[in-house]
């Protein structure tokens, strides 16, 4: 499994995937996996969106759901087949009806994955598809060579001949056309007449060593036209030998590949030509917003002028000769590590200074002035420098910093990806084996010191009977399709607990849960099914900076409160919680953040804040709960302040509900 995973990472990192899925939760889950495998993943929300993006981007592989609005996955696949018959398509669906299989077979799709994705099956199918892509590339290469041989016969290929000293003795019309030189200007010269300064001298040394020893040399060469522009040629140079095996002349066949040599390919070619490369990736922050604001012409002008500034400024510190404009606001610089005069820390400092200079400069775009803010990632040699720098950009974005030293970061990312994959597998197995359970922690009425409520807390029991806490698996699950299933299992556990105790049950609900239509429907159905106990349910809303649908959340709160449910705000007093949010959520209960409670015996500031919260809550007829109540001293302070309920290890740790039997208030 591990070797397959590593091979998929290596083979897929230069592929662009188009992933089409209308379900937000499923899409987010699959993206967790796909982004670890593919160099780039383009998302589409339905068949029409997918087809449009297929037309607008270079796509190597398509993975699509079947049942979607507007245009389903099979209809989209059929349309893609007409545009590009060779592009591999994988069908991803929860459906297994014969008609879908028959239709997908008719379309000639490369694979059919059933939801939920089984990791081993996914890797097997992906490996097969990558092998097909590789074979197609090899086939295309052979076909290209065959075409060149035919063109030589028809005197329409790019051809040159030299004597054994490398002096040009013949070129055909195609050579003159692509180079811009006349035949008279070329004959008698050496190939240095078209040599581009960007092409490494080491390449020509290797070329001459190979052909002078009687062997065929093949490679890609960047040449210079007479007018100074450049072109790329795929080159094959064959020594012509006499009967004694001595070289008498050389014949070279060329294929113009300028149009297919995109900047990223040029970058990779350079990196691969060096023993060890230093790679710098730069990205314009919030480039999507820039794209929405400016026209395509201004975007191209911005990328060109900003690229020129970046190269001009950084070349003062390190002799980078070229900047690669990768598109989507991204740039790359690369240099042989042996040619870099700076150590990693010094180059990193220069890059930080460059970022500051660029941010302070004004770029004039016709009549518009623009100030650019960039993120930079430096891989100073090491393993897979481009991939490391690429992961560095993502990490810098997550950490909200503008520079990161990313040397060998790919090793860390691969290790983390393996850990994440293991978590996903464990979650899947737990869901299939009733391993998602609920522990319950008591919430005490401060006046009676009896159990008034239980908070339902999720736990995972793996196949080895180890107990996992939410921090061990929940964040990874939130990025995957299994999070919704976990939530639904916790909801079932929590509502079932209503029949095992007379105490109320508190259930944690996040913004992700409420924004997900499937989960909202589940909650409403459970409340209607258990409507005689709905008044004993409290939904504890977990604050989240990523809330997008405030109106959906407010409507949901109103709907459940009409059924008798109480609303609590979790972790009030820190994070995203504020008094203004209370006006939106109209809570019945405020849970005071534990960071204020655990230090309340020694921190006057914490006491002042808690007093303010309790005073505000009492004024608006809102109950208060203090969490992290660890000892009697803390409890006595909270009781004196008028806090209504307490929760913490002083009264009980989370455990299975049946373990509370016989306790007062159960």
């Amino acid at each position: 499994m591990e070797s397959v995973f590593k091979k998929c990472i290596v083979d897929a990192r230069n592929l662009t995937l188009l992933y089409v899925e209308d379900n937000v939760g499923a899409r987010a889950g699959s993206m967790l996996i796909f982004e670890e495998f593919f160099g780039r993943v383009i998302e589409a929300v339905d068949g029409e969106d997918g087809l449009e993006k297929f037309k607008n981007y270079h796509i190597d592989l398509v993975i699509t759901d079947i049942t979607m609005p507007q245009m389903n996955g099979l209809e989209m696949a059929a349309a893609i087949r007409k545009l590009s018959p060779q592009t591999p398509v994988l069908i991803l669906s929860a459906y297994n009806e014969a008609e879908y299989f028959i239709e997908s077979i008719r379309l000639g799709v490369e694979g059919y994955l059933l939801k939920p994705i089984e990791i081993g099956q996914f890797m097997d199918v992906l490996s097969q598809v990558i092998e097909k892509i590789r074979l197609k590339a090899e086939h295309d290469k052979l076909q290209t060579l065959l075409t060149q041989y035919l063109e030589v016969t028809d005197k329409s290929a790019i051809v040159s001949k030299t004597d054994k000293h490398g002096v040009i003795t013949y070129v055909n019309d195609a050579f003159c056309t692509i180079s811009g030189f006349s035949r008279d200007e070329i004959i008698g010269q050496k190939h240095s007449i078209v040599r581009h300064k960007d092409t490494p001298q080491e390449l020509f040394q290797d070329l001459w060593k190979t052909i002078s020893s009687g062997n065929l040399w093949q490679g890609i060469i960047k040449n210079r036209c007479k007018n100074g522009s450049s072109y790329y040629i795929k080159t094959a140079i064959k020594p012509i030998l006499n009967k004694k095996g001595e070289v008498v002349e050389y014949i070279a066949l060329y294929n113009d590949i300028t149009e297919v040599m995109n900047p990223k390919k040029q970058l990779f070619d350079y990196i691969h030509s060096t023993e060890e490369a230093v790679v710098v990736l730069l990205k314009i922050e919030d480039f999507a917003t820039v794209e929405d604001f400016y026209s395509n012409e201004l975007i191209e002008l911005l990328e060109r002028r900003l690229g020129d500034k970046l190269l001009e400024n950084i070349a003062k510190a390190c002799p980078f000769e070229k900047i690669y404009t990768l598109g989507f606001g991204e740039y790359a610089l690369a240099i042989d590590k042996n040619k870099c005069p700076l150590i990693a820390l010094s180059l990193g400092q220069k890059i930080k200074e460059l970022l500051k200079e660029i941010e302070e400069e004004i770029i004039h775009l016709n009549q518009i002035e623009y100030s650019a803010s960039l993120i930079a990632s430096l891989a100073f040699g090491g393993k897979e420098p481009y991939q490391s720098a690429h992961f560095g950009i993502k990490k810098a974005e997550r950490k909200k910093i503008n520079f990161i030293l990313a040397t060998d970061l790919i090793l860390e990312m691969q290790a983390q990806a393996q850990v994440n994959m293991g978590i996903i597998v464990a979650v899947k197995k737990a869901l299939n084996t009733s391993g998602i359970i609920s522990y319950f922690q008591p919430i005490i009425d401060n006046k009676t010191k009896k159990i008034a409520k239980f908070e339902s807390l999720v736990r995972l029991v793996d196949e080895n009977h180890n107990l996992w806490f939410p921090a061990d698996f929940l964040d990874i699950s939130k990025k995957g399709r299994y999070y919704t299933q976990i939530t639904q299992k916790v909801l079932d556990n929590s509502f079932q607990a209503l029949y095992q105790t007379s105490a109320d049950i508190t259930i944690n609900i996040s913004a992700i849960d409420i924004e997900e239509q499937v989960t909202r429907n589940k909650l409403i159905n459970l409340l209607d099914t258990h409507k005689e106990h709905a008044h004993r349910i409290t939904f504890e809303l977990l604050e989240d900076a990523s809330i997008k649908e405030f109106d959906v959340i407010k409507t949901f709160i109103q709907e459940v409160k009409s059924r008798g449910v109480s609303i609590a705000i979790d972790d009030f007093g820190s994070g995203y919680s504020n008094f203004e949010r209370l006006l939106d959520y109209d809570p019945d209960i405020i849970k005071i953040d534990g960071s204020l409670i655990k230090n309340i015996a020694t921190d006057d500031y914490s006491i002042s804040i808690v007093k303010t919260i309790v005073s505000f809550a009492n004024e608006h007829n809102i109950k208060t709960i203090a969490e992290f109540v660890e000892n009697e001293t803390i409890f006595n302070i909270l009781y004196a302040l008028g806090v209504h309920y307490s929760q913490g290890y002083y009264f009980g740790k989370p455990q299975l509900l049946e373990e509370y039997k016989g306790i007062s208030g159960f």
Side-chain angles (χ1 to χ4, degrees):
M1 185 70 164
E2 181 176 287
S3 62
V4 172
F5 174 79
K6 289 183 178 179
K7 188 175 187 306
C8 284
I9 283 287
V10 172
D11 292 343
R13 67 176 182 268
N14 292 328
L15 299 181
T16 297
L17 167 69
L18 172 61
Y19 173 44
V20 188
E21 169 64 70
D22 64 315
N23 183 283
V24 175
R27 192 165 67 248
S30 297
M31 285 294 292
L32 173 68
I33 299 175
F34 295 156
E35 286 184 339
E36 296 298 336
F37 282 88
F38 300 99
R40 185 179 179 199
V41 181
I42 297 172
E43 299 178 71
V45 298
D46 57 43
E48 286 188 354
D49 186 31
L51 182 59
E52 187 64 23
K53 287 179 176 173
F54 183 88
K55 294 176 181 177
N56 293 331
Y57 297 94
H58 173 75
I59 304 297
D60 299 303
L61 170 64
V62 178
I63 296 180
T64 179
D65 188 21
I66 293 182
T67 303
M68 294 180 292
Q70 309 300 328
M71 174 188 289
N72 70 37
L74 294 180
E75 291 170 340
M76 182 197 69
I80 287 175
R81 276 284 183 263
K82 293 180 181 179
L83 296 172
S84 178
Q86 300 302 319
T87 300
V89 177
L90 294 177
I91 297 297
L92 174 63
S93 176
Y95 297 91
N96 58 3
E97 288 89 339
E99 65 219 51
Y100 290 116
F101 284 98
I102 293 171
E103 178 65 10
S104 63
I105 291 171
R106 186 186 68 79
L107 290 172
V109 301
E110 278 63 25
Y112 199 99
L113 298 172
L114 293 179
K115 295 180 179 179
I117 296 176
E118 202 283 314
I119 300 301
Q121 182 197 11
F122 170 72
M123 288 185 178
D124 288 341
V125 173
L126 179 59
S127 297
Q128 294 171 14
V129 171
I130 289 176
E131 178 65 10
K132 180 174 181 179
I133 293 173
R134 185 188 67 78
L135 291 174
K136 179 182 179 301
E138 291 183 358
H139 174 270
D140 292 344
K141 177 181 176 181
L142 293 174
Q143 188 63 41
T144 300
L145 290 175
L146 177 60
T147 301
Q148 289 183 66
Y149 297 150
L150 294 175
E151 288 175 346
V152 169
T153 303
D154 296 333
K155 296 185 178 181
S156 59
I158 303 170
V159 182
S160 72
K161 290 201 303 180
T162 70
D163 63 20
K164 62 181 181 180
H165 302 294
V167 176
I168 298 173
T169 58
Y170 169 82
V171 294
N172 68 346
D173 291 341
F175 191 103
C176 296
T177 299
I178 193 171
S179 69
F181 289 97
S182 69
R183 187 173 280 103
D184 290 339
E185 291 174 311
I186 295 175
I187 300 298
Q189 302 290 329
K190 291 193 174 184
H191 275 90
S192 57
I193 191 174
V194 293
R195 181 180 300 171
H196 197 287
K197 63 181 181 64
D198 285 353
T199 305
Q201 183 64 32
E202 292 80 7
L203 181 146
F204 293 107
Q205 292 173 352
D206 175 66
L207 182 159
W208 188 251
K209 179 180 179 181
T210 300
I211 63 176
S212 61
S213 61
N215 297 313
L216 173 71
W217 185 91
Q218 297 183 82
I220 294 174
I221 299 176
K222 182 179 182 180
N223 278 344
R224 180 184 64 84
C225 296
K226 183 179 180 179
N227 64 8
S229 62
S230 58
Y231 63 95
Y232 286 85
I233 49 175
K234 187 174 184 179
T235 306
I237 304 176
K238 179 72 173 69
I240 305 301
L241 309 178
N242 59 21
K243 292 183 179 180
K244 297 180 180 180
E246 300 169 334
V247 175
V248 294
E249 64 177 353
Y250 302 97
I251 184 169
L253 304 181
Y254 310 98
N255 181 26
D256 179 13
I257 59 170
T258 305
E259 292 301 317
V260 300
M261 282 293 294
N262 61 43
K264 184 175 286 189
K265 172 61 177 171
Q266 296 176 42
L267 171 64
F268 289 165
D269 285 340
Y270 178 79
I271 292 172
H272 294 155
S273 70
T274 65
E275 183 175 341
E276 192 173 16
V278 174
V279 176
V280 182
L281 290 188
L282 304 108
K283 181 177 181 180
I284 300 175
E285 287 192 276
D286 299 321
F287 185 73
T289 304
V290 177
E291 282 188 306
D292 291 339
F293 189 76
Y294 295 112
S295 65
N296 290 335
E297 291 77 11
L298 284 178
I299 291 294
E300 292 177 2
L301 182 60
L302 168 63
E303 289 188 317
R304 185 168 63 253
R305 290 190 177 174
L306 181 57
D308 291 342
K309 283 183 176 291
L310 288 168
L311 180 59
E312 177 186 355
N313 289 0
I314 200 168
K316 297 174 184 177
C318 186
F320 292 100
E321 295 184 356
K322 178 180 177 61
I323 189 163
Y324 302 87
T325 303
L326 306 180
F328 302 98
E330 295 186 4
Y331 301 89
L333 297 152
I335 189 171
D336 190 322
K337 187 177 179 181
N338 294 324
K339 296 180 180 179
C340 182
L342 302 175
I343 62 173
L345 292 179
S346 299
L347 180 56
Q349 183 59 39
K350 294 293 183 182
I351 293 171
K352 292 178 186 178
E353 294 171 3
L354 170 63
L355 297 180
K356 186 175 180 181
E357 290 174 12
I358 291 294
E359 190 168 350
E360 293 174 350
E361 285 190 33
I362 299 297
I363 300 175
H364 296 278
L365 306 174
N366 297 335
Q367 297 180 348
I368 297 174
E369 294 183 344
Y370 179 79
S371 178
S373 178
L374 295 105
I375 302 170
S377 175
L378 167 63
F380 200 83
K383 183 177 178 60
E384 299 288 352
Y386 173 80
Q387 284 298 104
S388 292
H390 173 70
F391 285 129
I393 288 289
K394 290 185 176 182
K395 189 171 184 178
E397 288 178 323
R398 289 195 302 270
K399 298 178 70 173
K400 300 187 184 302
I401 57 177
N402 69 347
F403 175 79
I404 188 169
L405 184 60
T407 307
D408 286 330
L409 186 58
I410 188 173
L411 301 178
E412 175 187 327
M413 299 302 295
Q414 288 176 344
Q416 185 60 52
Q418 288 182 316
V419 171
N420 292 347
M421 194 71 71
I423 293 173
I424 291 173
V425 171
V427 169
K428 179 185 176 183
K429 290 181 178 179
L431 286 167
N432 292 334
T433 59
S434 300
I436 300 299
I437 64 173
S438 291
Y439 270 33
F440 294 86
Q441 186 172 28
I443 299 173
I444 305 300
D445 186 316
N446 285 348
K447 289 185 177 179
T448 66
K449 289 190 178 182
K450 293 182 179 180
I451 297 174
K453 308 171 185 288
F454 283 105
E455 181 177 1
S456 177
L457 301 167
V458 65
R459 297 290 187 267
L460 183 151
V461 179
D462 65 20
E463 58 188 351
N464 296 318
H465 306 292
N466 297 312
L467 187 67
W468 293 29
F469 291 85
D472 299 325
F473 66 94
L474 208 54
D475 282 345
I476 297 301
S477 299
K478 283 182 179 179
K479 299 176 183 178
R481 64 182 303 274
Y482 296 124
Y483 176 71
T484 299
Q485 296 180 44
I486 293 172
T487 300
Q488 295 193 3
K489 182 61 178 174
V490 170
L491 292 176
D492 288 333
N493 294 341
S494 302
F495 274 82
Q496 186 61 40
L498 290 167
Y499 300 93
Q500 298 175 262
T501 176
S502 60
D504 293 352
I505 299 296
T506 296
I507 306 170
N508 293 309
I509 303 293
S510 70
I512 297 175
D513 298 324
I514 300 175
E515 289 175 350
E516 180 65 48
Q517 180 70 53
V518 173
T519 303
R520 291 203 306 275
N521 292 342
K522 172 79 171 182
L523 285 164
I524 297 302
N525 289 337
L526 284 169
L527 289 173
D528 290 342
T529 301
H530 306 279
K531 57 185 177 182
E532 70 276 12
H533 296 288
H535 66 282
R536 295 171 52 207
I537 291 291
T538 298
F539 288 154
E540 189 172 299
L541 303 185
L542 307 176
E543 293 281 47
D544 193 333
S546 63
I547 295 176
K548 299 175 182 177
E549 304 289 345
F550 278 107
D551 290 340
V552 171
I553 293 172
K554 289 170 67 175
T555 300
F556 171 79
I557 290 173
Q558 293 168 4
E559 190 171 0
V560 298
K561 288 192 75 171
S562 69
R563 288 169 164 78
V565 172
S566 297
I567 296 296
I569 299 294
D570 187 37
D571 295 335
F572 192 81
S574 69
Y576 310 106
S577 296
N578 54 58
F579 290 102
E580 182 180 358
R581 184 63 53 80
L582 293 180
L583 300 176
D584 295 324
Y585 288 170
D586 186 24
D588 305 287
I589 302 168
I590 292 174
K591 178 174 279 190
I592 304 170
D593 185 67
S595 63
L596 299 172
I597 303 301
K598 62 184 178 181
N599 297 319
I600 200 168
T602 57
D603 184 6
D604 292 339
Y605 179 75
S606 295
I607 292 179
S608 296
I609 294 178
V610 174
K611 281 182 179 179
T612 301
I613 294 173
V614 172
S615 176
F616 174 87
N618 288 336
E619 183 178 346
H620 293 275
N621 197 30
I622 299 173
K623 300 294 185 182
T624 51
I625 298 176
E627 56 183 352
F628 281 81
V629 181
E630 306 298 314
N631 54 57
E632 184 177 7
T633 301
I634 292 176
F635 170 76
N636 289 335
I637 294 172
L638 296 171
Y639 182 81
L641 291 175
V643 176
H644 299 93
Y645 300 97
S646 292
Q647 179 180 358
Y649 282 11
Y650 178 56
F651 294 105
K653 296 181 180 181
Q655 55 190 353
L656 295 172
L657 195 58
E658 53 263 30
E659 297 181 32
Y660 289 100
K661 289 182 178 180
I663 298 177
S664 176
F666 180 79

